[in-house]
Amino acid sequence: RMFHDDELEESEKFYVGQPRVLLLIYALYNTLVARSEMVCYFVIILNHMISASMITLVLPILIFLWAMLSVPRPSKRFWMTAIVYTEVAIVIKYFFQFGFFPWNKHVDYTKDKPYHPPNIIGIEKKEGYVHYDLVQLLALFFHRSILKCHGLWDEDEKGDSSSKEDTDDELSLPGGRRDSSASLKSVNLAASVESIHVHFPEQQTAIRRKSSSSISHLSHRSSFSSHRSKRGSTSTRNSSQKGSSVLSIKQKSRRELLMEKFREQMIKAKAFTIKKTLQVYVPIRQFFYNLIHPDYSAVTDVYVLMFLADTVDFIIIVFGFWAFGKHSAAADITSSLSEDQVPEAFLVMVLIQFGTMVVDRALYLKKTVMGKVIFQVILVFGIHFWMFFILPGVTERKFSQNTVAQLWYFVKCVYFGLSAYQIRCGYPTRVLGNFLTKSYNYVNLFLFQGFRLVPFLTELRAVMDWVWTDTTLSLSSWICVEDIYAHIFILKCWRESEKRYPQPRGQKKKKVVKYGMGGMIIVLLICIVWFPLLFMSLIKSVAGITNKPLDVSITITLGGYQPIFTMSAQQNQLKSLDPNEFNEFLRSYRGNTAALQFLEGYAREDITRADLEGNSNSLWTISPPSRKKMIQGLLDFDADFTVVLSWTIQSCLTQLLHGHGLRHCAKADLAPVMSCSWSEAWGQGREVLSVCQTHLSPGLRTLEEVYPYYIKAPSDSLAKPIKQLLRDCKWENITVSLVKNGSEEGAREWWVLNQLGKRHKTSQESLELFIFSDKVSPPSLGFLAGYGIMGLYASVVLVIGKFVREFFSGISHSIMFEELPNVDRILKLCTDIFLVRETGELELEEDLYAKLIFLYRSPETMIKWTREK
């Protein structure tokens, strides 16, 4: 207004005559004055966050429980306390930096210990130990100079002196005021402690008017003067009796005089203790009493900001809970929840944070300042005790080294400041509707609809409001009113938007609107329908990670008896194909359409060749009875006898067992190998050998079509053979032989296997296995890829489709409630219900609710109420 002379009053003409630049500088200076106090608070909290010691803990607690609760601003006593305390803290820290103290000789060993006494107190030796304290002292002196420039420093001093006199009057030990002849210094020493009377001021209820408060103050003073006159007469009477007792005192013995002197000193000590205690207790009590029962109240509402601060703290706990637990620096909440594990630290912190939010909402609805003060005191002491004394012991690291905990504490300090401001100004007398429904625009509309989409948030808020608000409505009626109000608010926002952007009659919709809104919806629906196929295709081809096997193991068992062969390949035995081998591998399947189609999905790094040694890594220690039964089973050609080959690939932790029935020739060949007497077993099986017409050397036999050469290792199922790469759809043949070796410890036996048709030719007995590993999704997208294509369709597409179908169907049933041209009267009716509820007119609340229900039951009345004015 200073730049528009026609808008200025006569009293303001003088300031306009001054240079405009000086006025602008003065305005900026006033802004700096208003913010200097917050700068001091910020520096004190920052100093405590970095130092995290008992020395720096005092001032933050005083900020939240004294400075921010002072009306209208912190007194001179607080700023002097902060300045003197900071100076003393600097001197103490400097004094304990000398090296002759025992704990300063092993600084490197003890500097990271959270419970080391010097670290807790804040007197440890370190570089830059006093930097932040000096910045804090500078900020305090700067704010002190600003207060002196504006004359507020001396004003606080006068206010403190006058309040001190009133406090001395209210203490009222035998003697009342300090300047009276019967003051506390002239207490009758012969009186007992029980005769000391303590007189507290009568605490009246909060008086809003200034005149009534001044009248009560005068009456209070008059009662004090009468009380002093009575106490003065008593003192005169005691002094008159004192002379008559002088002679009797002289006749007392020395012991009695000493006892009497001791009693007098005890009375003095007790009186002095009571006086000092009351001098501390009464001002604190009076401070909080004046805070809860103010003469004037500048009502404000910062609950939304407090709720947002709590929400930010809640998010910090969810995504940074590892900073509040022991040995959990690398933990991840998503991985923990995916493994069905709930960390205890995470659970406790989330429940406590959520519980404080519920309590804060209850206090806000009940509008009880006393409860908020008690809650503030408990939270301030509890949070500081937990963050700076318990948490370092749990995490085994200092608070200054825990960045997440520092961020959480800073946001909590913002919450404490807002709570103190709410206590100082008082709760609003009326809480009407949601804070998002104060304006009717697109921002409030979309935010309100997003608020209603959060699961259980709307329901929880409605139930809490019903519990902690005085009302005659039942819970169902309350929810009905809330739902009607929300629906009418949304309609009001749409009607206001139609007024701001009107559509002329008879004019077709513009292409920008049609292609902008309609095209976006079309693209969105198409993406939802084809999302699973597109996601599963791109997740492995574009962002997939090669899943190399770490261990490949093979086990062969005959007829369910003890395994005859076990072998595993690791590290150097697992080899990737070089480019020449890979090209040769592809050329070998030229002309095989099925094989080439299968190989298109795999790159060279996805194929691993496992070279397994032919000698079993375990001895065959079958018992003689089992060996005999095995031989009988091999020679019984009427019964089935199977060879079971199982393999395990560690990369995907899959295992597959494959049973293959042995032919009669193979059974007859194996029986002599396992026989204790070769000639006896050979004689039993000679008829079979003649039928098979085989001429094999003793001990070496062939098992046909029992070995899978190519294995597919998918990421989400069991490993299985690849039929497309087999020649004539037949598995590979292997030879088996039993080796016997005698030693001092006895005979030892083990089996030796060899693959006949290997690609990599070697002279030694060995097995060769090709593993085709599917690409796996990145860990960040594993929770979606784990469902598979059908799982994504069932869990994502169908659920979203259900909500979309509800939006496009059933519109005809809601026309009478949706197409309302003017909702102002209905919105006013809902607001009136909230208003009469807050003012205590509960009977009128019932009448207005009945009127609202009748309105929704009568379509004709609804039409009359919603017509345009």
Side-chain angles (χ1 to χ4, degrees), residues 428-680:
T429 55
R430 296 179 181 87
V431 180
L432 304 179
N434 195 307
F435 72 96
L436 295 173
T437 61
K438 305 303 181 184
S439 301
Y440 309 105
N441 49 44
Y442 282 121
V443 176
N444 289 70
L445 173 63
F446 294 134
L447 288 178
F448 182 72
Q449 289 181 332
F451 169 80
R452 289 174 60 84
L453 288 177
V454 178
F456 302 108
L457 184 57
T458 303
E459 295 80 4
L460 184 62
R461 177 183 178 273
V463 175
M464 287 194 301
D465 290 358
W466 179 76
V467 170
W468 288 302
T469 304
D470 297 333
T471 180
T472 59
L473 300 181
S474 63
L475 180 59
S476 59
S477 301
W478 180 284
I479 296 175
C480 180
V481 174
E482 291 289 334
D483 185 65
I484 292 174
Y485 178 73
H487 178 67
I488 294 299
F489 170 76
I490 294 173
L491 291 180
K492 177 66 175 177
C493 291
W494 287 118
R495 297 296 91 86
E496 289 294 325
S497 64
E498 292 172 359
K499 292 179 181 179
R500 293 190 185 99
Y501 311 102
Q503 174 70 22
R505 290 189 59 187
Q507 182 177 354
K508 63 180 181 181
K509 291 292 183 182
K510 297 180 181 180
K511 292 184 178 180
V512 176
V513 178
K514 296 180 68 175
Y515 287 100
M517 181 180 296
M520 184 179 63
I521 295 176
I522 291 173
V523 172
L524 181 62
L525 293 177
I526 291 176
C527 291
I528 292 174
V529 172
W530 300 107
F531 167 74
L533 296 179
L534 184 64
F535 177 79
M536 295 303 294
S537 175
L538 296 178
I539 193 65
K540 294 183 179 180
S541 61
V542 178
I545 301 174
T546 303
N547 188 23
K548 286 284 186 180
L550 302 177
D551 182 89
V552 178
S553 302
I554 289 181
T555 303
I556 298 178
T557 305
L558 291 177
Y561 293 94
Q562 186 179 7
I564 65 172
F565 181 83
T566 57
M567 180 53 66
S568 62
Q570 298 174 352
Q571 297 180 356
N572 296 332
Q573 297 171 336
L574 300 175
K575 302 177 181 179
S576 300
L577 300 182
D578 56 32
N580 295 329
E581 291 178 343
F582 181 69
N583 294 331
E584 181 65 26
F585 188 83
L586 294 178
R587 281 196 295 269
S588 63
Y589 289 100
R590 183 175 300 172
N592 190 342
T593 306
L596 292 177
Q597 183 179 3
F598 173 80
L599 292 175
E600 284 183 358
Y602 295 90
R604 181 177 60 87
E605 59 271 10
D606 299 331
I607 304 175
T608 303
R609 187 185 75 233
D611 297 328
L612 296 99
E613 189 177 351
N615 292 279
S616 176
N617 59 5
S618 61
L619 295 175
W620 196 47
T621 56
I622 190 172
S623 62
S626 296
R627 181 197 292 263
K628 184 176 181 181
K629 289 183 179 180
M630 183 182 292
I631 296 174
Q632 292 176 357
L634 288 171
L635 297 177
D636 186 4
F637 302 116
D638 296 332
D640 295 333
F641 198 89
T642 58
V643 55
V644 178
L645 189 143
S646 63
W647 55 85
T648 303
I649 301 175
Q650 188 177 352
S651 60
C652 53
L653 297 180
T654 56
Q655 183 177 1
L656 182 67
L657 301 177
H658 181 78
H660 191 279
L662 289 179
R663 299 178 181 178
H664 290 178
C665 301
K667 292 170 64 176
D669 290 344
L670 286 175
V673 174
M674 289 179 286
S675 177
C676 296
S677 174
W678 172 263
S679 58
E680 180 182 357

Side-chain angles (χ1 to χ4, degrees), residues 724-744:
Q724 294 90 330
L725 302 182
L726 297 176
R727 297 182 178 87
D728 300 329
C729 297
K730 294 182 179 179
W731 288 18
E732 298 295 328
N733 301 334
I734 59 174
T735 61
V736 297
S737 61
L738 182 62
V739 178
K740 301 180 181 179
N741 183 17
S743 64
E744 297 178 357

Side-chain angles (χ1 to χ4, degrees), residues 134-282:
L134 292 176
V135 174
Q136 175 179 316
L137 188 61
L138 179 64
L140 291 172
F141 275 121
F142 176 72
H143 183 66
R144 174 174 172 266
S145 66
I146 290 177
L147 293 178
K148 284 191 172 183
C149 289
H150 287 74
L152 301 177
W153 191 262
D154 296 333
E155 180 181 329
D156 287 341
E157 186 177 11
K158 294 176 183 178
D160 290 343
S161 61
S162 61
S163 62
K164 188 174 183 181
E165 290 179 1
D166 295 340
T167 304
D168 291 338
D169 292 340
E170 292 170 356
L171 284 177
S172 182
L173 285 170
R177 293 177 180 263
R178 287 180 178 270
D179 56 354
S180 63
S181 58
S183 62
L184 184 63
K185 296 180 180 179
S186 60
V187 176
N188 188 358
L189 301 180
S192 62
V193 179
E194 289 79 3
S195 65
I196 298 176
H197 301 282
V198 180
H199 178 75
F200 290 103
E202 183 181 357
Q203 294 180 351
Q204 302 174 356
T205 57
I207 304 171
R208 299 293 177 181
R209 293 192 173 184
K210 187 175 182 180
S211 59
S212 59
S213 62
S214 61
I215 293 173
S216 62
H217 184 69
L218 292 175
S219 62
H220 184 65
R221 292 284 184 175
S222 62
S223 63
F224 254 161
S225 61
S226 62
H227 178 72
R228 288 172 55 200
S229 62
K230 293 179 181 179
R231 305 300 288 179
S233 62
T234 305
S235 176
T236 305
R237 186 167 55 252
N238 291 335
S239 62
S240 63
Q241 295 174 359
K242 185 175 181 182
S244 60
S245 59
V246 173
L247 296 176
S248 60
I249 293 176
K250 292 181 179 178
Q251 297 176 357
K252 293 181 179 179
S253 64
R254 181 178 180 83
R255 183 173 179 276
E256 291 177 349
L257 289 175
L258 290 176
M259 291 300 297
E260 186 175 354
K261 201 72 174 176
F262 177 74
R263 284 195 297 269
E264 291 175 359
Q265 295 299 326
M266 287 297 296
I267 293 173
K268 282 185 179 182
K270 291 181 180 179
F272 180 79
T273 304
I274 293 175
K275 174 188 173 183
K276 293 300 180 182
T277 303
L278 292 177
Q279 284 181 349
V280 175
Y281 167 73
V282 172

Side-chain angles (χ1 to χ4, degrees), residues 322-337:
W322 49 267
F324 302 95
K326 186 177 182 180
H327 306 306
S328 57
D332 184 10
I333 186 61
T334 56
S335 60
S336 299
L337 296 180

Side-chain angles (χ1 to χ4, degrees), residues 816 854-867:
M816 62 178 297
F854 173 76
L855 183 62
Y856 270 82
R857 290 182 58 206
S858 175
E860 183 178 358
T861 309
M862 178 70 77
I863 292 175
K864 293 180 181 179
W865 268 58
T866 57
R867 286 175 179 171

Side-chain angles (χ1 to χ4, degrees), residues 102-120:
W103 56 82
N104 289 338
K105 297 180 181 179
H106 306 284
V107 177
D108 295 335
Y109 177 73
T110 60
K111 65 179 181 179
D112 293 331
K113 290 186 176 182
Y115 281 166
H116 185 56
N119 295 342
I120 297 177

